[in-house]
Amino acid sequence: GAVVSQHPSRVICKSGTSVKIECRSLDFQATTMFWYRQFPKKSLMLMATSNEGSKATYEQGVEKDKFLINHASLTLSTLTVTSAHPEDSSFYICSARDLGQGAQGAFGPGTRLLVL
Amino acid sequence: GNSVTQMEGPVTLSEEAFLTINCTYTATGYPSLFWYVQYPGEGLQLLLKATKADDKGSNKGFEATYRKETTSFHLEKGSVQVSDSAVYFCALSLPLGAGGTSYGKLTFGQGTILTVHP
């Protein structure tokens, strides 16, 4: 149980375009989803926390207009990187949790974004 | 604030060697502690966890004990295998009583790259 999927697994786009990444909880209802960003050979940085039906809470330094998060249902959250630039290239990982899973929830496999 | 500090890597070992990756933390209250593993090109997988002082988490031959007195959660394995080559992350999460959206939010250490040679 506790399976989280992400789509796409890899995306290459041109600078200036927007990219949407989906995070789905497959066998449970995720009341909370977290979005992380991982730079090469670096740790994961929490970008934002989203709770179903409410606005996402962004970490300090993360541009909310740049990284749009929508948690429209208990099984789906989306991260849209708007007007992507090469510096947005990174590995984006989501994690999903419900209260029954304890603190850590489950992680998705990640989405590698490359902006040319 | 909350933080996690891991031993600097990379760590290179021969197969069947003993592994220790140090992890210390700073947190308000009593966090839960985790070790995650990330294999090349993949997402994170939970390796083990401990939720209170003196708890020992274990999985796949790996162990870590929650030491409140030294604020540590060192990862150990008695005999590593080539297949253990990966990046290991120590992390903490605040307890439910920390309030609001803090619960479940993970703070990660910087990661330690482990390479095991045959």
Side-chain angles (χ1 to χ4, degrees), chain B residues 85-96:
Chain B
S85 298
V87 184
Y88 292 82
F89 293 94
C90 186
L92 69 80
S93 179
L94 294 179
L96 182 58

Side-chain angles (χ1 to χ4, degrees), chain A residues 14-29:
Chain A
K14 292 182 180 179
S15 189
T17 60
S18 293
V19 175
K20 181 185 283 189
I21 301 169
E22 293 185 347
C23 176
R24 292 183 185 271
S25 56
L26 299 185
D27 52 0
F28 66 99
Q29 293 186 323

Side-chain angles (χ1 to χ4, degrees), chain A residues 34 36 38 43-44 46 49 51 59 91 93 97 102-104 107-109, chain B residues 34 36 38 42-44 46 49 89 93 101 103-106 108-110:
Chain A
F34 302 91
Y36 294 86
Q38 184 179 29
S43 187
L44 282 78
L46 178 66
T49 303
N51 292 289
E59 295 299 303
F91 195 51
I93 303 175
R97 182 183 62 80
Q104 78 285 0
F107 280 83
Chain B
F34 309 88
Y36 283 87
Q38 185 178 33
E42 298 184 12
L44 271 72
L46 177 64
K49 67 178 183 180
F89 293 94
S93 179
T101 57
Y103 181 58
K105 187 167 98 171
L106 286 161
F108 286 90
Q110 65 268 42

Side-chain angles (χ1 to χ4, degrees), chain B residues 26-38:
Chain B
T26 302
T28 52
Y30 300 97
S32 294
L33 301 173
F34 309 88
W35 276 100
Y36 283 87
V37 58
Q38 185 178 33

Side-chain angles (χ1 to χ4, degrees), chain B residues 58-74:
Chain B
S58 60
N59 186 25
K60 299 181 182 178
F62 291 90
E63 292 183 339
T65 302
Y66 190 144
R67 300 285 188 203
K68 181 169 171 287
E69 63 277 13
T70 54
T71 62
S72 65
F73 192 55
H74 304 322

Side-chain angles (χ1 to χ4, degrees), chain A residues 58-113:
Chain A
Y58 289 81
E59 295 299 303
Q60 194 172 9
V62 177
E63 299 176 61
K64 62 178 71 174
D65 295 331
K66 172 78 170 173
F67 299 100
L68 300 178
I69 290 171
N70 183 278
H71 193 160
S73 76
L74 285 171
T75 59
L76 173 66
S77 176
T78 59
L79 167 67
T80 301
V81 183
T82 61
S83 187
H85 291 283
E87 58 266 28
D88 299 324
S89 299
S90 196
F91 195 51
Y92 293 87
I93 303 175
C94 73
S95 96
R97 182 183 62 80
D98 70 19
L99 287 176
Q101 292 174 316
Q104 78 285 0
F107 280 83
T111 296
R112 187 162 300 285
L113 170 63

